[in-house]
Amino acid sequence: VAWIKRMFGLSKAGHGGTLDPKVTGVLPVALEEATKIIGMVVHTPKEYICVMQLHEPVEEKKLLEAIKVFTSTIYQRPPLRSSVKRSLRTKTIYEIELLEYTGRYALMRVLCDPGTYMRKLCHDIGLYLGVGAHMRELRRTKSGPFREAYGLVKLQDLSEALYRWKQEGKDDLLRKYILPMEYAVAHLKKVVIRDSAVDAIAHGAHLAVPGIARLHADIKKGDVVAIF
């Protein structure tokens, strides 16, 4: 984030959820005014591809049984090397898919709540199996509406796109890499308001029915929505 701020000469930038050192993958970064809504991405489910090393081989059937046990709401205490307070908390693991297994190394896809530690999950699966385990590699493939398969950009690419714009006046790559902030709320239900209501809403007024042009049909009390 600091590199991107310096590169573009920005006053504000913020990221959508910390990645531990040596972890690769998706890290949404909001620029300037978009930092106000990056919290909508921080608190969304995350998907990881993880390599877990078991300290002793176990049968695949046993590993699959353990994975099934952990695909639920679990207790977790953040590991010693973490940036948050080490208090016990509950996290939900929505999916664990075993992609490949060699007897010692398990390649897994995990969909989970934000703030779930894969390092701790691997350790706990190892304890459950009675053989011990640790995380070898980790890559985040999805963070809220942002996914690895679409729109993933390297810092090097961003730097070259900026150079192209400054030196050649071509902004095609920048427009490809820097998405409109509407993408950050793509996963939320929407309420589209009339032009006549925009000024009042922007100054803190409540939204009333006459100001609504269209909206998602299944909005319930307590839902977070995006107003367009």
Side-chain angles (χ1 to χ4, degrees), residues 1 24 71 77 79 91 99 106 114 118 184 186 201 207 212 215 227:
V1 174
T24 58
T71 309
R77 193 184 299 279
K91 294 291 175 186
L99 302 172
M118 293 298 107
I201 298 298
L207 177 60
I212 296 172
L215 75 168
I227 295 181

Side-chain angles (χ1 to χ4, degrees), residues 88-216:
L88 196 65
R89 44 198 189 162
T90 57
K91 294 291 175 186
T92 301
I93 310 284
Y94 302 103
E95 297 171 20
I96 304 178
E97 181 187 359
L98 185 63
L99 302 172
E100 206 173 302
Y101 183 52
T102 65
R104 285 289 288 274
Y105 294 96
L107 182 68
M108 307 184 295
R109 181 187 65 82
V110 182
L111 182 68
C112 58
D113 272 347
T116 307
Y117 283 88
M118 293 298 107
R119 197 180 303 278
K120 193 78 176 70
L121 178 66
C122 292
H123 175 79
D124 291 348
I125 289 173
L127 285 179
Y128 180 86
L129 289 167
V131 296
H134 67 277
M135 187 186 84
R136 279 297 295 261
E137 284 185 55
L138 186 65
R139 183 168 184 83
R140 186 154 70 195
T141 50
K142 186 181 173 191
S143 179
F146 300 97
R147 54 191 67 221
E148 184 181 53
Y150 173 75
L152 191 69
V153 183
K154 295 174 186 165
L155 278 175
Q156 178 73 27
D157 297 336
L158 200 58
S159 169
E160 287 174 2
L162 183 63
Y163 179 85
R164 179 179 166 88
W165 175 60
K166 283 182 174 175
Q167 298 299 317
E168 302 171 21
K170 295 177 181 174
D171 64 357
D172 54 335
L173 291 178
L174 275 184
R175 287 184 180 278
K176 182 184 173 187
Y177 298 153
I178 301 175
L179 303 172
M181 70 165 100
E182 283 84 352
Y183 277 89
V185 293
H187 58 295
L188 298 178
K189 294 167 185 174
K190 316 287 188 301
V191 177
V192 180
I193 61 173
R194 300 185 190 281
D195 290 354
S196 54
V198 171
D199 191 58
I201 298 298
H203 285 87
H206 290 298
L207 177 60
V209 172
I212 296 172
R214 58 176 61 185
L215 75 168
H216 269 99

Side-chain angles (χ1 to χ4, degrees), residues 1-16:
V1 174
W3 284 338
I4 289 171
K5 270 178 77 174
R6 203 157 49 235
M7 212 187 283
F8 286 93
L10 304 173
S11 60
K12 284 186 294 184
H15 63 76

